[in-house]
Amino acid sequence: MSTRIRCEVRDETPVTVVRLAGALDLGTMRSVHTVLDRCLTAQPDALVVDLENLDVTEPLALSVFAAAARRAADWPAVPMVLSAPPPVAATWLAGITACRVVPVRRDCAEATALAGAVAAPRLRARLEPVAGACRRARELVTEACGRWNIPELAGPASLVLSELVGNVVRHAGTPMQVTLTLRRPYLRVAVMDGSPDDPRAAIDRDLRAEGGRGLMLVRELTQRWGSTPAGAGKVVWAMLPAN
């Protein structure tokens, strides 16, 4: 990160708080974008960005928050709230059309309360790369769909998550975190593992196997899917319509 801007990331579960200090301009906004993107990839329940000690020297640089908020709303469906902007920055935020998509609150406590209140329901589990991982993934989907009253998605979501987990077992071979998130109109499933390699379709096409049905199945059953770097590994995610 640029020495002209600093950040402190604190996991205040269920909300992650990012405190920025220093000068925000067109030169340092890239560093801020990188930090926010990294935080979102970790899929917190909500994200608060504290601007109290930020010196905004170029109004256009504030668009970094609008871009992050739009990304957060799509995937991983994380509400993002700005807190305590200095008076000049608050005026600019209110006047920039793109930035009106980001809620702003007067202090961090108020922003944290709002972010937590509008957070989407999530179900998380840590899985090992073993033969029973796909079965456990299907159990998690069944639990989530029952809890959230979307039984019609249990079948397709189980198939999708089994394929994503199966790819980790076959190719990455690392522990993984599975996350299911419901923010209508989508159910989002995601698997974070410790390998940076892109997801690969499995060679095994045995339909009786727990996984191995191929990423073609993921493409057919989801609205969108993708892979995002996460630390030394990646997150593979998919979105299923949940109207």
Side-chain angles (χ1 to χ4, degrees):
M1 170 166 284
S2 169
T3 56
R4 292 186 294 122
I5 193 165
R6 304 178 305 281
C7 78
E8 176 191 5
V9 179
R10 296 180 58 182
D11 180 5
E12 300 182 3
T13 304
V15 178
T16 292
V17 178
V18 179
R19 290 187 166 88
L20 300 176
L24 177 66
D25 54 32
L26 297 181
T28 59
M29 64 184 292
R30 182 183 297 273
S31 296
V32 173
H33 178 271
T34 298
V35 170
L36 297 180
D37 192 66
R38 187 183 304 125
C39 290
L40 291 172
T41 299
Q43 303 172 82
D45 284 355
L47 181 65
V48 168
V49 185
D50 187 349
L51 311 182
E52 184 175 9
N53 297 313
L54 196 65
D55 178 20
V56 182
T57 60
E58 297 182 67
L60 186 58
L62 291 167
S63 63
V64 68
F65 302 120
R70 285 193 295 268
R71 188 257 214 235
D74 183 40
W75 185 87
V78 171
M80 176 176 155
V81 183
L82 304 180
S83 77
V88 173
T91 300
W92 285 340
L93 281 167
I96 299 173
T97 302
C99 291
R100 293 174 187 169
V101 301
V102 194
V104 180
R105 291 297 182 268
R106 61 183 178 181
D107 58 44
C108 194
E110 191 175 310
T112 299
L114 173 62
V118 299
R122 296 182 194 273
L123 185 63
R124 295 183 174 91
R126 184 81 171 172
L127 302 181
E128 295 298 320
V130 297
C134 292
R135 181 178 65 253
R136 177 57 182 145
R138 291 196 296 271
E139 292 171 351
L140 289 169
V141 171
T142 300
E143 178 184 347
C145 290
R147 181 184 300 180
W148 300 332
N149 195 28
I150 47 173
E152 70 279 4
L153 287 182
S158 291
L159 291 174
V160 169
L161 191 56
S162 289
E163 175 56 32
L164 300 184
V165 169
N167 258 276
V168 176
V169 174
R170 289 180 174 87
H171 303 302
T174 70
M176 69 197 91
Q177 177 175 288
V178 172
T179 305
L180 295 97
T181 306
L182 178 64
R183 181 175 289 278
R184 296 184 187 275
Y186 298 108
L187 171 68
R188 295 157 174 86
V189 300
V191 180
M192 179 185 294
D193 64 56
S195 169
D197 296 336
D198 289 337
R200 294 181 288 167
I203 297 175
D204 181 8
R205 297 184 182 276
D206 183 356
L207 295 180
R208 295 170 298 179
E210 289 191 330
R213 294 175 178 83
L215 292 177
M216 181 181 296
L217 182 66
V218 175
R219 290 193 294 269
E220 290 297 320
L221 291 177
T222 62
Q223 184 76 21
R224 291 204 312 282
W225 74 282
S227 179
T228 303
K234 64 181 178 297
V235 180
V236 184
W237 53 270
M239 299 166 59
L240 294 88
N243 297 320

